[in-house]
Amino acid sequence: MGGSSSKEDLGPLEVVGHVDLEKFSGMWYECGKYPNPFQAKDGEYGTATYALNDDGTMHAIYVEFVRGRKKTANAKLWAPDKEESTSKLRISFLWPFSMNYWIIQLGDDYEYAVIGEPKRNLVWILTRTAEIPEETLSSILTKLKEQGYPPEKVKMTKQIPPRKEVTSTA
């Protein structure tokens, strides 16, 4: 038999340790993702803004532009077992349907986060700034490969709109 392996052979997907959901709150830029059925193939300038609710759940607003038109989606996130892990979240865009939304990488200062799920079919790379440093991206992609995610499937999200030329009239 050949030496190929399947996703089932990879074992459980490891998540980061404790996540401070208040510190995780705020706006994130989507820098990259696996193409998925939930988002437009040609979406640009994607952001996710998370807010911690009084009951410990989170509200999220996702924004992306598709062919110049703004698209938004609202979601609810929660940790099914806060005692076990605040990095193994569930997300629902339409109740009662939900899916895993696990934080599998997180910068020390919450400057980047990588979201995945145990089957390794979905991944999002989020950053606090619109541009991701090359060394940070390289490190994330290397770690994704170690986690069983083919990094070549990541599609980078266009984040910075083209700047208009400013001409002086003086």
Side-chain angles (χ1 to χ4, degrees):
M1 290 279 150
S4 65
S5 64
S6 67
K7 290 180 183 175
E8 292 79 29
D9 298 334
L10 295 171
L13 179 61
E14 293 205 14
V15 296
V16 300
H18 174 78
V19 175
D20 179 339
L21 296 178
E22 190 167 328
K23 194 172 179 181
F24 188 81
S25 294
M27 190 174 93
W28 294 84
Y29 293 87
E30 175 193 282
C31 288
K33 66 178 178 242
Y34 273 9
N36 62 72
F38 315 114
Q39 294 175 280
K41 289 180 183 176
D42 54 352
E44 301 176 324
Y45 320 123
T47 61
T49 303
Y50 302 93
L52 189 59
N53 298 320
D54 291 339
D55 64 0
T57 64
M58 297 185 86
H59 177 251
I61 300 172
Y62 296 93
V63 176
E64 71 178 336
F65 287 81
V66 180
R67 293 179 294 283
R69 299 188 70 169
K70 184 177 179 180
K71 305 283 184 179
T72 62
N74 289 279
K76 179 179 179 178
L77 294 97
W78 67 95
D81 185 353
K82 289 181 195 157
E83 300 299 317
E84 178 193 334
S85 177
T86 52
S87 56
K88 289 185 176 181
L89 302 174
R90 297 285 296 173
I91 189 168
S92 175
F93 289 93
L94 178 65
W95 189 257
F97 306 104
S98 67
M99 65 182 212
N100 290 311
Y101 196 82
W102 290 8
I103 302 169
I104 60 172
Q105 295 182 41
L106 185 63
D108 292 337
D109 296 319
Y110 289 63
E111 71 276 17
Y112 71 86
V114 179
I115 309 300
E117 51 77 43
K119 292 182 181 176
R120 298 169 173 90
N121 292 322
L122 299 169
V123 73
W124 289 270
I125 299 171
L126 308 175
T127 58
R128 293 292 190 177
T129 59
E131 293 183 275
I132 186 169
E134 190 58 43
E135 62 275 5
T136 302
L137 178 60
S138 179
S139 175
I140 288 169
L141 294 175
T142 298
K143 177 82 172 165
L144 277 174
K145 187 172 185 175
E146 293 168 5
Q147 292 173 300
Y149 281 92
E152 63 275 5
K153 285 180 56 180
V154 172
K155 179 183 180 281
M156 299 310 292
T157 304
K158 182 178 178 184
Q159 268 304 337
I160 302 171
R163 295 184 183 162
K164 293 183 180 179
E165 281 295 317
V166 178
T167 56
S168 174
T169 57

